[in-house]
Amino acid sequence: GNSVTQMEGPVTLSEEAFLTINCTYTATGYPSLFWYVQYPGEGLQLLLKATKADDKGSNKGFEATYRKETTSFHLEKGSVQVSDSAVYFCALSKSGAGSYQLTFGKGTKLSVIP
Amino acid sequence: DGGITQSPKYLFRKEGQNVTLSCEQNLNHDAMYWYRQDPGQGLRLIYYSQIVNDFQKGDIAEGYSVSREKKESFPLTVTSAQKNPTAFYLCASSGTEYEQYFGPGTRLTVT
């Protein structure tokens, strides 16, 4: 079945440091890939997405590239801020007809210190 | 503004009582979902509905029930059969694209 594996956290970085959160997936067909962010006590917000191989999703300085050859969708940001402290979830959609379900990774908690 | 609302934000119940969590969306989305979130376990799908009057079990449906009488609403009932109901519950919806949009969540505590 489909699965998503994220690097385990927590990840603690100093402000302006470079961020990478690794995400690899197992899926049949051609899934779409997503990164969601969850701030404390809130629901999930879509951060970025990519729907086919070699697509790059980007938003708010975050980027991730859909790499089919390595089945990866790593999240990167060049310079993190304290306000980026949150839990980040990688997810994929089932491909094919009726593809409404998302499979989530377990989440990676990021703490950015001044 | 379009979005998903969940109420209440915090809910407390005694063991043995059924409780219903509300989820409403005004995004005109056909599909709606319920997830359970526990610390360190990510999100697990409880139920989902692709159209009105139809819904499917997710990975952890035991002890839960849902209804979908209106496109905008997808309430979740946590029954007394759910062995460990204390958790953070998230509702989501999706339209023609695969991304899902989430509500703010309801934190349920059962004692």
Side-chain angles (χ1 to χ4, degrees):
Chain A
N2 295 339
S3 66
V4 175
T5 302
Q6 291 180 235
M7 63 185 287
E8 292 193 16
V11 174
T12 302
L13 295 173
S14 297
E15 206 165 20
E16 299 184 2
F18 184 86
L19 168 70
T20 300
I21 301 179
N22 290 339
C23 171
T24 57
Y25 67 89
T26 302
T28 56
Y30 302 93
S32 293
L33 300 173
F34 307 88
W35 277 101
Y36 283 84
V37 58
Q38 184 179 35
Y39 298 101
E42 298 184 8
L44 276 68
Q45 299 176 25
L46 178 65
L47 182 59
L48 53 84
K49 68 176 182 180
T51 58
K52 62 182 186 297
D54 300 324
D55 266 3
K56 177 185 282 188
S58 61
N59 186 26
K60 300 180 181 179
F62 291 90
E63 294 183 338
T65 301
Y66 188 164
R67 301 286 188 200
K68 191 162 179 63
E69 64 276 14
T70 55
T71 61
S72 65
F73 193 55
H74 305 321
L75 182 68
E76 297 181 336
K77 187 175 185 184
S79 176
V80 294
Q81 305 300 313
V82 172
S83 57
D84 293 326
S85 298
V87 180
Y88 293 82
F89 292 91
C90 185
L92 66 82
S93 68
K94 283 186 178 180
S95 59
S99 303
Y100 290 91
Q101 294 187 48
L102 289 179
T103 300
F104 286 89
K106 293 188 176 182
T108 302
K109 183 175 181 180
L110 170 66
S111 297
V112 180
I113 55 178
Chain B
D1 277 25
I4 300 175
T5 56
Q6 292 185 243
S7 60
K9 190 167 180 64
Y10 299 96
L11 193 52
F12 299 88
R13 280 294 183 271
K14 295 290 187 184
E15 197 172 311
Q17 294 179 335
N18 291 355
V19 59
T20 297
L21 282 60
S22 168
C23 177
E24 303 278 334
Q25 56 101 357
N26 61 3
L27 299 168
N28 199 32
H29 285 167
D30 286 318
M32 297 185 74
Y33 313 80
W34 274 105
Y35 293 91
R36 171 182 171 134
Q37 186 177 24
D38 295 284
Q41 293 199 41
L43 278 71
R44 293 182 289 171
L45 182 64
I46 304 173
Y47 268 98
Y48 66 101
S49 168
Q50 296 184 4
I51 57 172
V52 174
N53 293 322
D54 185 61
F55 48 83
Q56 307 294 327
K57 292 182 179 180
D59 301 319
I60 56 164
E62 186 175 349
Y64 300 97
S65 66
V66 293
S67 62
R68 186 85 186 277
E69 297 177 1
K70 297 187 300 182
K71 187 175 184 177
E72 301 79 17
S73 178
F74 191 41
L76 173 74
T77 297
V78 184
T79 75
S80 57
Q82 168 52 231
K83 299 300 181 189
N84 186 19
T86 295
F88 189 50
Y89 290 89
L90 288 159
C91 179
S93 70
S94 66
T96 54
E97 300 295 326
Y98 296 151
E99 61 258 36
Q100 295 181 13
Y101 296 87
F102 285 79
T106 292
R107 187 166 298 281
L108 173 65
T109 303
V110 176
T111 57

